[in-house]
Coordinates of all heavy atoms in Angstrom, one line a residue:
M1 N -54.5 -28.0 13.1 CA -53.6 -29.1 13.0 C -52.3 -28.8 12.2 O -52.5 -28.5 11.0 CB -54.3 -30.4 12.4 CG -55.2 -31.1 13.5 SD -54.2 -32.2 14.5 CE -54.1 -33.6 13.5
P2 N -51.2 -28.9 12.8 CA -49.9 -28.6 12.0 C -49.7 -29.7 11.0 O -50.0 -30.9 11.3 CB -48.8 -28.5 13.1 CG -49.4 -29.2 14.3 CD -50.9 -29.2 14.2
K3 N -49.2 -29.3 9.9 CA -48.8 -30.3 8.9 C -47.7 -31.2 9.4 O -46.8 -30.7 10.0 CB -48.5 -29.7 7.6 CG -49.7 -29.3 6.7 CD -49.2 -28.8 5.4 CE -50.5 -28.4 4.6 NZ -50.0 -27.8 3.3
K4 N -47.7 -32.4 8.9 CA -46.6 -33.4 9.3 C -45.4 -32.9 8.6 O -45.4 -32.6 7.4 CB -47.0 -34.8 8.9 CG -47.5 -35.6 10.1 CD -47.5 -37.0 9.7 CE -47.9 -37.9 11.0 NZ -47.9 -39.4 10.6
S5 N -44.3 -33.0 9.3 CA -43.0 -32.6 8.7 C -42.6 -33.6 7.7 O -42.8 -34.8 7.7 CB -41.9 -32.6 9.9 OG -40.7 -32.5 9.3
K6 N -41.9 -33.0 6.7 CA -41.4 -33.9 5.6 C -40.1 -34.5 5.9 O -39.6 -35.3 5.2 CB -41.2 -33.0 4.3 CG -42.5 -32.7 3.6 CD -42.3 -31.8 2.4 CE -43.7 -31.4 1.8 NZ -43.5 -30.4 0.8
L7 N -39.5 -34.2 7.1 CA -38.2 -34.6 7.5 C -38.2 -36.2 7.7 O -37.1 -36.7 7.7 CB -37.8 -34.0 8.8 CG -37.3 -32.5 8.7 CD1 -37.1 -31.9 10.1 CD2 -36.1 -32.4 7.9
S8 N -39.4 -36.8 7.7 CA -39.4 -38.2 8.0 C -38.9 -38.9 6.7 O -38.4 -40.1 6.9 CB -40.7 -38.7 8.4 OG -41.6 -38.3 7.4
T9 N -38.9 -38.4 5.6 CA -38.4 -39.0 4.4 C -37.0 -38.6 4.1 O -36.7 -37.4 3.9 CB -39.3 -38.7 3.1 OG1 -40.6 -39.0 3.4 CG2 -38.9 -39.5 1.9
P10 N -36.0 -39.4 4.2 CA -34.6 -39.1 4.0 C -34.4 -38.4 2.6 O -35.1 -38.8 1.7 CB -33.8 -40.4 4.1 CG -34.8 -41.3 4.7 CD -36.1 -40.9 4.4
A11 N -33.5 -37.5 2.5 CA -33.1 -36.8 1.3 C -32.8 -37.7 0.2 O -33.1 -37.5 -1.0 CB -32.0 -35.8 1.6
W12 N -32.1 -38.8 0.5 CA -31.7 -39.7 -0.6 C -32.8 -40.4 -1.3 O -32.8 -40.7 -2.5 CB -30.6 -40.7 -0.1 CG -31.1 -41.7 0.9 CD1 -31.1 -41.5 2.3 CD2 -31.7 -43.0 0.7 NE1 -31.6 -42.7 2.9 CE2 -31.9 -43.6 1.9 CE3 -31.9 -43.8 -0.5 CZ2 -32.5 -44.9 2.0 CZ3 -32.5 -45.0 -0.4 CH2 -32.7 -45.5 0.9
I13 N -33.9 -40.6 -0.6 CA -35.1 -41.1 -1.2 C -35.8 -40.1 -2.0 O -36.2 -40.4 -3.2 CB -36.1 -41.8 -0.1 CG1 -35.5 -42.9 0.6 CG2 -37.5 -42.1 -0.7 CD1 -36.3 -43.4 1.7
L14 N -35.9 -38.9 -1.5 CA -36.6 -37.8 -2.2 C -35.9 -37.5 -3.5 O -36.5 -37.1 -4.6 CB -36.7 -36.5 -1.4 CG -37.5 -36.7 -0.2 CD1 -37.4 -35.4 0.7 CD2 -39.0 -36.8 -0.5
E15 N -34.5 -37.7 -3.5 CA -33.8 -37.3 -4.7 C -33.6 -38.5 -5.7 O -32.8 -38.4 -6.6 CB -32.4 -36.7 -4.3 CG -32.7 -35.3 -3.7 CD -31.3 -34.5 -3.5 OE1 -30.4 -34.7 -4.3 OE2 -31.3 -33.7 -2.6
G16 N -34.1 -39.6 -5.3 CA -34.2 -40.7 -6.2 C -33.0 -41.7 -6.3 O -32.7 -42.3 -7.2
F17 N -32.2 -41.6 -5.2 CA -31.0 -42.5 -5.1 C -31.4 -43.9 -4.6 O -32.5 -44.0 -4.0 CB -30.0 -41.9 -4.2 CG -29.2 -40.7 -4.8 CD1 -29.7 -39.5 -4.6 CD2 -28.1 -41.0 -5.5 CE1 -29.0 -38.4 -5.2 CE2 -27.4 -39.9 -6.1 CZ -27.9 -38.6 -5.9
N18 N -30.6 -44.9 -5.0 CA -30.9 -46.3 -4.6 C -30.6 -46.6 -3.1 O -31.2 -47.4 -2.6 CB -30.2 -47.2 -5.5 CG -30.7 -47.1 -6.9 OD1 -31.9 -47.0 -7.2 ND2 -29.8 -47.2 -7.9
S19 N -29.7 -45.8 -2.6 CA -29.3 -46.1 -1.2 C -28.7 -44.8 -0.6 O -28.2 -43.9 -1.3 CB -28.3 -47.2 -1.1 OG -27.1 -46.8 -1.6
E20 N -28.7 -44.8 0.7 CA -28.1 -43.7 1.5 C -26.6 -43.5 1.1 O -26.1 -42.5 0.9 CB -28.3 -43.9 2.9 CG -28.0 -42.5 3.7 CD -28.3 -42.8 5.2 OE1 -28.6 -43.8 5.6 OE2 -28.2 -41.7 5.9
A21 N -26.0 -44.7 1.0 CA -24.5 -44.7 0.7 C -24.2 -44.1 -0.6 O -23.2 -43.3 -0.7 CB -24.0 -46.2 0.8
E22 N -25.0 -44.3 -1.6 CA -24.9 -43.8 -2.9 C -25.0 -42.3 -2.9 O -24.3 -41.6 -3.5 CB -25.9 -44.4 -3.9 CG -25.5 -44.3 -5.3 CD -26.6 -44.9 -6.3 OE1 -26.8 -46.1 -6.2 OE2 -27.2 -44.1 -7.0
Y23 N -26.1 -41.9 -2.2 CA -26.4 -40.4 -2.1 C -25.2 -39.7 -1.4 O -24.7 -38.7 -1.9 CB -27.6 -40.3 -1.2 CG -28.0 -38.9 -0.8 CD1 -28.6 -38.0 -1.7 CD2 -27.6 -38.4 0.5 CE1 -28.9 -36.7 -1.3 CE2 -28.0 -37.1 0.9 CZ -28.6 -36.3 0.0 OH -28.9 -35.0 0.3
N24 N -24.7 -40.3 -0.3 CA -23.6 -39.7 0.4 C -22.4 -39.6 -0.4 O -21.6 -38.6 -0.3 CB -23.3 -40.5 1.7 CG -24.4 -40.4 2.8 OD1 -25.2 -39.4 2.7 ND2 -24.4 -41.2 3.8
K25 N -22.1 -40.6 -1.2 CA -21.0 -40.6 -2.1 C -21.1 -39.5 -3.1 O -20.1 -38.8 -3.4 CB -20.9 -42.0 -2.8 CG -19.5 -42.4 -3.2 CD -19.5 -43.8 -3.8 CE -18.3 -44.0 -4.6 NZ -18.4 -45.3 -5.3
K26 N -22.2 -39.3 -3.7 CA -22.5 -38.2 -4.7 C -22.3 -36.9 -4.1 O -21.8 -35.9 -4.7 CB -23.9 -38.4 -5.3 CG -23.9 -39.3 -6.6 CD -24.0 -38.3 -7.8 CE -23.5 -39.0 -9.1 NZ -24.1 -40.3 -9.4
K27 N -22.8 -36.8 -2.9 CA -22.8 -35.5 -2.3 C -21.5 -35.2 -1.5 O -21.3 -34.1 -0.8 CB -24.0 -35.4 -1.2 CG -25.4 -35.5 -1.8 CD -25.8 -34.2 -2.4 CE -27.2 -34.3 -3.1 NZ -27.7 -33.1 -3.6
G28 N -20.7 -36.2 -1.4 CA -19.4 -36.1 -0.7 C -19.6 -36.1 0.8 O -18.8 -35.5 1.5
I29 N -20.7 -36.7 1.2 CA -20.9 -36.8 2.7 C -20.2 -38.1 3.2 O -20.3 -39.2 2.6 CB -22.4 -36.9 3.0 CG1 -23.1 -35.6 2.5 CG2 -22.6 -37.1 4.6 CD1 -24.6 -35.7 2.5
K30 N -19.5 -37.9 4.2 CA -18.8 -39.1 4.8 C -19.5 -39.5 6.1 O -19.8 -38.7 7.0 CB -17.3 -38.8 5.1 CG -16.5 -39.0 3.9 CD -15.0 -38.7 4.2 CE -14.2 -38.8 2.9 NZ -13.0 -38.0 3.0
N31 N -19.9 -40.8 6.1 CA -20.5 -41.3 7.3 C -19.6 -41.3 8.5 O -18.4 -41.7 8.4 CB -21.1 -42.7 7.1 CG -22.4 -42.7 6.3 OD1 -23.2 -41.8 6.5 ND2 -22.6 -43.8 5.5
K32 N -20.2 -40.9 9.6 CA -19.3 -41.0 10.9 C -19.2 -42.5 11.2 O -20.2 -43.2 11.1 CB -20.0 -40.3 12.0 CG -19.9 -38.8 12.0 CD -20.6 -38.2 13.2 CE -20.7 -36.7 13.0 NZ -21.6 -36.2 14.1
P33 N -18.1 -42.9 11.7 CA -17.9 -44.3 12.0 C -18.8 -44.5 13.3 O -18.8 -43.8 14.2 CB -16.4 -44.5 12.4 CG -15.9 -43.1 12.6 CD -16.8 -42.1 11.8
K34 N -19.6 -45.5 13.2 CA -20.5 -45.9 14.3 C -19.8 -46.8 15.2 O -19.1 -47.8 14.9 CB -21.7 -46.6 13.7 CG -22.7 -45.5 13.2 CD -23.9 -46.2 12.6 CE -24.8 -45.3 11.7 NZ -25.6 -45.9 10.8
A35 N -20.0 -46.5 16.5 CA -19.4 -47.4 17.5 C -20.1 -48.7 17.7 O -21.3 -48.6 17.9 CB -19.3 -46.7 18.9
K36 N -19.5 -49.8 17.5 CA -20.2 -51.1 17.7 C -19.9 -51.6 19.1 O -19.0 -51.2 19.8 CB -19.6 -52.1 16.7 CG -20.1 -51.8 15.3 CD -19.3 -52.7 14.3 CE -18.1 -52.0 13.9 NZ -17.2 -52.9 13.1
A37 N -20.8 -52.4 19.5 CA -20.7 -53.0 20.9 C -19.4 -53.8 20.9 O -19.1 -54.6 20.1 CB -21.9 -53.9 21.2
G38 N -18.6 -53.6 22.0 CA -17.4 -54.4 22.1 C -16.2 -53.7 21.3 O -15.1 -54.3 21.3
E39 N -16.4 -52.7 20.7 CA -15.4 -52.0 19.9 C -14.3 -51.4 20.9 O -14.7 -51.0 21.9 CB -16.0 -51.0 19.0 CG -15.0 -50.5 17.9 CD -15.7 -49.5 17.0 OE1 -16.5 -48.7 17.5 OE2 -15.4 -49.4 15.8
E40 N -13.1 -51.4 20.4 CA -12.1 -51.0 21.3 C -12.0 -49.4 21.3 O -12.0 -48.7 20.3 CB -10.7 -51.5 20.9 CG -10.7 -53.0 21.3 CD -9.3 -53.6 21.0 OE1 -8.6 -53.1 20.2 OE2 -9.0 -54.6 21.7
F41 N -11.8 -48.9 22.5 CA -11.6 -47.5 22.7 C -10.2 -47.3 23.3 O -9.7 -48.2 23.9 CB -12.6 -46.9 23.6 CG -14.0 -46.8 23.0 CD1 -14.8 -47.9 22.9 CD2 -14.5 -45.6 22.6 CE1 -16.1 -47.8 22.3 CE2 -15.7 -45.4 22.0 CZ -16.5 -46.6 21.9
Y42 N -9.6 -46.1 23.2 CA -8.3 -45.9 23.8 C -8.3 -45.0 24.9 O -9.0 -43.9 24.8 CB -7.4 -45.4 22.7 CG -7.0 -46.6 21.8 CD1 -7.8 -46.8 20.7 CD2 -5.9 -47.4 22.0 CE1 -7.5 -47.9 19.8 CE2 -5.6 -48.5 21.2 CZ -6.4 -48.7 20.0 OH -6.1 -49.8 19.3
V43 N -7.7 -45.3 26.0 CA -7.7 -44.5 27.2 C -6.2 -44.3 27.5 O -5.4 -45.1 27.2 CB -8.5 -45.1 28.4 CG1 -9.9 -45.1 28.2 CG2 -7.9 -46.5 28.8
K44 N -6.0 -43.3 28.2 CA -4.6 -42.9 28.7 C -4.3 -43.8 29.9 O -5.1 -43.9 30.8 CB -4.5 -41.5 29.1 CG -4.9 -40.5 27.9 CD -3.7 -40.3 27.0 CE -4.0 -39.2 26.0 NZ -4.8 -39.6 24.9
V45 N -3.1 -44.3 29.9 CA -2.6 -45.1 31.0 C -1.2 -44.6 31.5 O -0.5 -44.1 30.6 CB -2.5 -46.6 30.8 CG1 -3.9 -47.2 30.5 CG2 -1.6 -46.9 29.6
C46 N -1.0 -44.8 32.7 CA 0.3 -44.4 33.3 C 1.4 -45.3 32.7 O 1.2 -46.6 32.8 CB 0.3 -44.5 34.8 SG 1.9 -44.4 35.6
P47 N 2.5 -44.7 32.2 CA 3.6 -45.6 31.6 C 4.3 -46.4 32.7 O 5.1 -47.3 32.4 CB 4.4 -44.7 30.8 CG 4.2 -43.3 31.5 CD 2.8 -43.3 32.1
Q48 N 4.2 -46.0 33.9 CA 4.9 -46.6 35.0 C 4.2 -47.8 35.6 O 4.7 -48.9 35.8 CB 5.3 -45.5 36.0 CG 6.4 -45.9 36.9 CD 7.0 -44.6 37.6 OE1 7.8 -44.0 37.1 NE2 6.4 -44.4 38.8
C49 N 2.9 -47.5 36.0 CA 2.2 -48.6 36.7 C 1.0 -49.1 36.0 O 0.3 -49.9 36.5 CB 1.8 -48.1 38.1 SG 0.5 -46.8 38.1
R50 N 0.7 -48.6 34.7 CA -0.4 -49.0 33.9 C -1.7 -48.6 34.5 O -2.8 -49.1 34.0 CB -0.4 -50.5 33.5 CG 1.0 -51.1 33.1 CD 1.6 -50.4 32.0 NE 0.8 -50.5 30.8 CZ 1.1 -49.8 29.6 NH1 2.2 -49.0 29.6 NH2 0.3 -49.9 28.6
S51 N -1.8 -47.7 35.5 CA -3.1 -47.3 36.0 C -3.7 -46.4 35.1 O -3.1 -45.6 34.3 CB -2.8 -46.6 37.4 OG -4.0 -46.0 37.8
K52 N -5.1 -46.6 35.0 CA -5.9 -45.6 34.2 C -6.3 -44.4 35.0 O -7.0 -43.6 34.5 CB -7.1 -46.4 33.6 CG -6.7 -47.5 32.7 CD -7.9 -48.2 32.2 CE -7.5 -49.5 31.4 NZ -7.1 -50.6 32.2
D53 N -5.9 -44.4 36.2 CA -6.2 -43.2 37.0 C -5.3 -42.1 36.8 O -4.5 -41.7 37.7 CB -6.2 -43.7 38.5 CG -7.1 -42.9 39.4 OD1 -7.8 -42.0 38.9 OD2 -7.2 -43.2 40.6
V54 N -5.3 -41.6 35.6 CA -4.5 -40.4 35.3 C -5.2 -39.2 34.9 O -6.3 -39.3 34.5 CB -3.5 -40.8 34.1 CG1 -2.4 -41.9 34.5 CG2 -4.3 -41.3 32.9
N55 N -4.6 -38.1 35.2 CA -5.2 -36.8 34.9 C -4.3 -35.8 34.2 O -3.1 -35.9 34.4 CB -5.7 -36.2 36.2 CG -7.0 -36.7 36.6 OD1 -7.2 -37.7 37.3 ND2 -8.1 -36.0 36.2
V56 N -4.8 -34.9 33.4 CA -4.0 -33.8 32.9 C -3.6 -32.9 34.0 O -4.4 -32.7 34.9 CB -4.7 -33.1 31.8 CG1 -4.7 -33.8 30.5 CG2 -6.1 -32.6 32.1
V57 N -2.4 -32.4 34.0 CA -2.0 -31.5 34.9 C -2.5 -30.1 34.6 O -2.2 -29.6 33.5 CB -0.4 -31.5 35.1 CG1 0.1 -30.5 36.1 CG2 0.1 -32.9 35.3
I58 N -3.2 -29.5 35.5 CA -3.8 -28.2 35.2 C -2.7 -27.2 35.2 O -1.8 -27.1 36.0 CB -4.8 -27.8 36.3 CG1 -5.8 -28.9 36.6 CG2 -5.5 -26.5 36.1 CD1 -6.8 -29.3 35.6
G59 N -2.7 -26.4 34.1 CA -1.7 -25.4 33.9 C -0.4 -25.7 33.2 O 0.4 -24.9 33.0
E60 N -0.3 -27.1 32.9 CA 0.8 -27.5 32.1 C 0.3 -28.3 30.9 O -0.1 -29.4 31.0 CB 1.7 -28.5 33.0 CG 2.6 -27.8 34.0 CD 3.5 -28.8 34.7 OE1 4.2 -29.5 34.1 OE2 3.4 -28.7 36.0
V61 N 0.6 -27.6 29.7 CA 0.1 -28.2 28.5 C 0.7 -29.5 28.2 O 2.0 -29.6 28.1 CB 0.2 -27.2 27.3 CG1 -0.3 -27.8 26.0 CG2 -0.5 -25.9 27.7
G62 N -0.1 -30.6 28.0 CA 0.5 -31.9 27.5 C 1.0 -32.7 28.7 O 1.5 -33.8 28.4
A63 N 1.0 -32.2 29.9 CA 1.5 -33.0 31.0 C 0.4 -33.7 31.7 O -0.8 -33.3 31.8 CB 2.2 -32.0 32.0
W64 N 0.8 -35.0 32.2 CA -0.1 -35.8 32.9 C 0.4 -36.2 34.2 O 1.6 -36.3 34.4 CB -0.4 -37.1 32.0 CG -1.1 -36.8 30.7 CD1 -0.7 -36.2 29.6 CD2 -2.5 -37.1 30.5 NE1 -1.7 -36.1 28.7 CE2 -2.8 -36.6 29.2 CE3 -3.6 -37.7 31.3 CZ2 -4.1 -36.8 28.6 CZ3 -4.8 -37.8 30.7 CH2 -5.0 -37.4 29.4
E65 N -0.4 -36.7 35.1 CA 0.0 -37.2 36.4 C -0.8 -38.4 36.7 O -2.0 -38.5 36.4 CB 0.0 -36.1 37.5 CG -1.4 -35.7 37.8 CD -1.5 -34.5 38.8 OE1 -0.4 -34.2 39.3 OE2 -2.5 -34.0 39.0
C66 N -0.2 -39.3 37.4 CA -0.9 -40.6 37.8 C -1.2 -40.4 39.3 O -0.3 -40.1 40.1 CB 0.1 -41.7 37.6 SG -0.5 -43.3 38.2
K67 N -2.4 -40.8 39.6 CA -2.8 -40.6 41.0 C -2.3 -41.8 41.8 O -2.3 -41.7 43.1 CB -4.4 -40.6 41.0 CG -5.0 -39.2 40.6 CD -6.5 -39.2 40.8 CE -7.0 -37.9 40.4 NZ -8.5 -37.9 40.5
K68 N -2.1 -42.9 41.2 CA -1.7 -44.1 41.9 C -0.2 -44.1 42.3 O 0.1 -44.3 43.5 CB -1.9 -45.3 41.0 CG -2.4 -46.5 41.8 CD -2.9 -47.6 40.9 CE -3.5 -48.7 41.6 NZ -4.1 -49.7 40.7
C69 N 0.7 -43.8 41.4 CA 2.1 -43.8 41.7 C 2.8 -42.5 41.7 O 4.0 -42.4 41.9 CB 2.8 -44.8 40.8 SG 3.0 -44.1 39.1
N70 N 2.0 -41.4 41.5 CA 2.5 -40.1 41.5 C 3.4 -39.8 40.3 O 4.2 -38.8 40.4 CB 3.2 -39.7 42.8 CG 2.1 -39.6 43.9 OD1 1.0 -39.0 43.7 ND2 2.4 -40.1 45.1
W71 N 3.4 -40.6 39.3 CA 4.2 -40.3 38.1 C 3.7 -39.1 37.5 O 2.5 -38.8 37.5 CB 4.1 -41.5 37.1 CG 4.6 -41.2 35.7 CD1 5.9 -41.2 35.3 CD2 3.9 -40.6 34.6 NE1 6.0 -40.8 34.0 CE2 4.8 -40.5 33.6 CE3 2.5 -40.3 34.4 CZ2 4.4 -40.0 32.3 CZ3 2.2 -39.8 33.2 CH2 3.1 -39.6 32.1
K72 N 4.6 -38.3 36.9 CA 4.2 -37.0 36.2 C 5.1 -36.9 35.0 O 6.3 -37.0 35.0 CB 4.3 -35.8 37.1 CG 3.7 -34.6 36.6 CD 3.8 -33.5 37.7 CE 3.5 -32.1 37.2 NZ 3.7 -31.1 38.1
G73 N 4.5 -36.5 33.9 CA 5.2 -36.3 32.6 C 4.4 -36.2 31.4 O 3.2 -36.1 31.5
R74 N 5.1 -36.3 30.2 CA 4.3 -36.1 29.0 C 4.3 -37.4 28.2 O 3.6 -37.5 27.1 CB 5.0 -35.0 28.1 CG 4.8 -33.6 28.7 CD 5.8 -32.6 28.2 NE 5.9 -31.5 29.1 CZ 5.1 -30.4 29.0 NH1 4.1 -30.3 28.1 NH2 5.2 -29.4 29.9
S75 N 5.1 -38.4 28.6 CA 5.1 -39.6 27.8 C 4.0 -40.6 28.2 O 4.2 -41.7 28.5 CB 6.4 -40.3 28.0 OG 6.7 -40.5 29.4
I76 N 2.7 -40.0 28.2 CA 1.6 -40.8 28.6 C 1.3 -41.9 27.5 O 1.7 -41.7 26.3 CB 0.3 -39.9 28.7 CG1 -0.9 -40.6 29.4 CG2 -0.1 -39.3 27.4 CD1 -0.8 -40.7 30.9
E77 N 0.9 -43.1 27.9 CA 0.6 -44.1 27.0 C -0.9 -44.4 26.8 O -1.7 -43.9 27.7 CB 1.4 -45.4 27.4 CG 2.8 -45.3 27.2 CD 3.6 -46.5 27.6 OE1 3.0 -47.6 27.7 OE2 4.9 -46.4 27.8
E78 N -1.2 -45.1 25.8 CA -2.6 -45.4 25.6 C -2.9 -46.9 25.6 O -2.0 -47.7 25.2 CB -3.1 -44.9 24.2 CG -3.3 -43.4 24.3 CD -3.9 -42.8 23.0 OE1 -3.7 -43.4 21.9 OE2 -4.7 -41.8 23.0
E79 N -4.0 -47.3 26.0 CA -4.3 -48.7 26.0 C -5.7 -48.9 25.6 O -6.7 -48.1 25.8 CB -4.3 -49.2 27.5 CG -4.1 -50.7 27.6 CD -3.9 -51.1 29.1 OE1 -2.8 -50.9 29.6 OE2 -4.9 -51.6 29.7
A80 N -6.0 -50.0 24.8 CA -7.3 -50.3 24.3 C -8.1 -50.9 25.3 O -7.7 -51.8 26.1 CB -7.2 -51.2 23.1
V81 N -9.3 -50.4 25.4 CA -10.3 -51.0 26.3 C -11.6 -51.2 25.7 O -11.9 -50.6 24.6 CB -10.6 -50.1 27.6 CG1 -9.4 -50.0 28.5 CG2 -11.0 -48.7 27.2
L82 N -12.5 -52.0 26.2 CA -13.8 -52.1 25.6 C -14.7 -51.0 26.0 O -14.5 -50.2 26.9 CB -14.4 -53.5 26.1 CG -13.7 -54.7 25.7 CD1 -14.4 -56.0 26.2 CD2 -13.6 -54.9 24.2
E83 N -15.7 -50.8 25.1 CA -16.6 -49.6 25.2 C -17.2 -49.5 26.7 O -17.2 -48.4 27.2 CB -17.8 -49.9 24.3 CG -18.7 -48.7 24.1 CD -19.9 -48.9 23.2 OE1 -20.1 -50.1 22.8 OE2 -20.5 -47.9 22.9
E84 N -17.6 -50.6 27.2 CA -18.2 -50.5 28.6 C -17.2 -50.0 29.6 O -17.6 -49.1 30.4 CB -18.5 -52.0 29.0 CG -19.5 -52.1 30.1 CD -19.8 -53.5 30.5 OE1 -19.9 -54.3 29.6 OE2 -19.9 -53.8 31.7
E85 N -15.9 -50.4 29.5 CA -15.0 -49.9 30.5 C -14.6 -48.4 30.2 O -14.4 -47.6 31.1 CB -13.7 -50.7 30.4 CG -12.7 -50.6 31.6 CD -11.5 -51.3 31.4 OE1 -11.3 -52.1 30.6 OE2 -10.6 -51.0 32.2
Y86 N -14.6 -48.1 28.9 CA -14.3 -46.8 28.5 C -15.2 -45.7 29.1 O -14.9 -44.8 29.6 CB -14.3 -46.7 26.9 CG -14.1 -45.3 26.4 CD1 -12.9 -44.8 26.3 CD2 -15.2 -44.6 25.9 CE1 -12.6 -43.5 25.8 CE2 -15.0 -43.3 25.4 CZ -13.7 -42.8 25.3 OH -13.5 -41.5 24.8
F87 N -16.6 -46.1 29.0 CA -17.5 -45.1 29.5 C -17.5 -45.1 31.0 O -17.8 -44.0 31.6 CB -18.9 -45.5 29.0 CG -19.1 -45.1 27.6 CD1 -19.2 -46.0 26.5 CD2 -19.1 -43.7 27.2 CE1 -19.3 -45.7 25.2 CE2 -19.1 -43.4 25.9 CZ -19.3 -44.3 24.9
K88 N -17.1 -46.1 31.7 CA -16.9 -46.1 33.2 C -15.8 -45.1 33.6 O -15.9 -44.4 34.5 CB -16.6 -47.5 33.7 CG -17.8 -48.3 33.9 CD -17.4 -49.7 34.5 CE -18.6 -50.7 34.4 NZ -18.1 -52.1 34.6
I89 N -14.7 -45.1 32.8 CA -13.6 -44.3 33.0 C -14.0 -42.9 32.8 O -13.7 -42.0 33.6 CB -12.4 -44.7 32.1 CG1 -11.9 -46.1 32.6 CG2 -11.3 -43.7 32.2 CD1 -11.1 -46.8 31.6
I90 N -14.7 -42.6 31.6 CA -15.1 -41.2 31.4 C -16.0 -40.7 32.5 O -15.9 -39.6 32.9 CB -15.9 -41.2 30.0 CG1 -15.0 -41.6 28.8 CG2 -16.5 -39.8 29.7 CD1 -13.7 -40.8 28.6
E91 N -17.0 -41.5 32.9 CA -17.9 -41.1 34.0 C -17.1 -40.7 35.3 O -17.4 -39.8 35.9 CB -18.9 -42.2 34.3 CG -20.0 -42.2 33.3 CD -21.1 -43.2 33.7 OE1 -21.1 -43.7 34.8 OE2 -22.0 -43.4 32.8
R92 N -16.1 -41.6 35.5 CA -15.3 -41.4 36.7 C -14.5 -40.1 36.6 O -14.4 -39.3 37.5 CB -14.3 -42.6 36.9 CG -13.9 -42.7 38.4 CD -12.7 -43.6 38.5 NE -11.6 -43.1 37.6 CZ -10.7 -43.9 37.0 NH1 -10.8 -45.1 37.1 NH2 -9.8 -43.3 36.2
M93 N -14.0 -39.8 35.4 CA -13.2 -38.6 35.2 C -14.1 -37.4 35.3 O -13.6 -36.3 35.7 CB -12.6 -38.6 33.8 CG -11.3 -39.5 33.7 SD -10.6 -39.7 32.1 CE -9.6 -38.2 32.1
E94 N -15.3 -37.5 35.0 CA -16.2 -36.4 35.1 C -16.9 -36.2 36.5 O -17.6 -35.4 36.8 CB -17.4 -36.5 34.0 CG -16.9 -36.3 32.6 CD -17.9 -36.5 31.5 OE1 -19.0 -37.1 31.9 OE2 -17.6 -36.3 30.4
G95 N -16.4 -37.2 37.3 CA -16.8 -37.1 38.7 C -18.3 -37.5 38.9 O -18.9 -37.0 39.9
K96 N -18.8 -38.4 38.1 CA -20.3 -38.8 38.3 C -20.4 -39.9 39.4 O -19.4 -40.7 39.4 CB -20.8 -39.2 37.0 CG -21.3 -38.1 36.1 CD -21.8 -38.6 34.8 CE -22.0 -37.4 33.9 NZ -22.2 -37.8 32.5
Ligands
ZN101 ZN1 1.2 -44.7 37.8

């Protein structure tokens, strides 16, 4: 029988800190911001027709094109969307 891993006890407990936050502060560890439900994400939108159906132009650094109105350029804009919509867009961009 293999011994149970000690990893189940967080380091901050083993080292006698009162909380994980205190431990992280001492060690200089910064917590990654956690995404909350309904939190806003930013997606690229076409500056001309506000469509989110935009893609980077292959072979042109920093250039974008809109599939809807055929706009092409570098002045792409961003729009805040909710998490749910954001992941739908990501999935679509990855062609799922
Ligand atoms: Zn457009």
